[in-house]
């Protein structure tokens, strides 16, 4: 097979992989549901603030809310890039995953320093979930042929 035929065949394969399909559907679902769940969770958490503050953990909870709001805003931005199929979307998804891990670690340190073990236990669970997600999706967004064929704008 000539080089030109190989190039045409490679281009045809890439065209078949273009678009949000295959395993890329799972992150797409997360890009839609994540911000919705995040907004609902943030609103619910704001409603609990006075009770948490009365229990003596207002400062820790305020830090959690601020970090959560910042991460939510970034997740919405990344979702917009994702659905516009922007070239930088895979890199920003990886940064979002890493930021989730970083914020988990930061909050865990803050909570442990404030002796807020109940908060720390939940954050530790979230850290484990985020580590599993990052271990799966970071390599996927780095090497997937579908990702390379889809995010080209």
């Amino acid at each position: 097979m000539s080089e030109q035929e190989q190039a045409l065949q490679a281009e045809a394969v890439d065209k078949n992989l273009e678009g949000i399909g295959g395993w890329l559907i799972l992150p797409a679902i997360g890009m839609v549901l994540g911000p919705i769940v995040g907004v609902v969770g943030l609103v619910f958490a704001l409603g609990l603030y006075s009770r948490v503050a009365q229990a003596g953990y207002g400062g820790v909870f305020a830090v959690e809310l601020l970090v959560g709001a910042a991460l939510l805003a970034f997740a919405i931005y990344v979702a917009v890039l994702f659905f516009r199929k922007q070239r930088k979307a895979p890199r920003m998804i990886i940064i979002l995953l890493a930021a989730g891990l970083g914020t988990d670690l930061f909050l865990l340190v803050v909570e442990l320093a404030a002796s807020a073990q109940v908060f720390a236990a939940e954050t530790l669970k979230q850290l484990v979930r985020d580590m599993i997600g990052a271990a799966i999706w970071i390599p996927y967004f780095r090497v997937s042929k579908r990702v390379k064929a889809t995010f080209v704008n």
Side-chain angles (χ1 to χ4, degrees), residues 6 20 22 27 33 35 39 43 47-48 63 67-68 79 81 85 87 89 92 100 102 126 134 137 139 143 149:
Q6 288 175 340
I20 297 172
L33 294 181
V39 168
V43 169
L48 295 175
V63 170
V67 168
L81 294 177
K85 299 178 185 169
R87 186 178 309 273
M92 298 308 283
Q126 186 62 47
W137 294 111
V143 301

Side-chain angles (χ1 to χ4, degrees), residues 19-87:
I20 297 172
W23 288 106
L24 199 52
I25 289 173
L26 295 176
I29 292 168
M31 293 288 165
V32 172
L33 294 181
I36 293 169
V37 170
V39 168
V40 170
L42 204 54
V43 169
F44 180 74
L46 285 169
L48 295 175
Y49 182 78
S50 63
R51 284 193 272 166
V52 174
Q54 286 175 350
Y57 298 108
V60 171
F61 200 56
V63 170
E64 282 195 9
L65 291 173
L66 289 172
V67 168
L71 207 53
L72 175 62
F74 186 53
I76 292 169
Y77 168 71
V78 172
V80 169
L81 294 177
F82 181 89
F83 288 108
R84 288 184 177 172
K85 299 178 185 169
Q86 295 293 306
R87 186 178 309 273

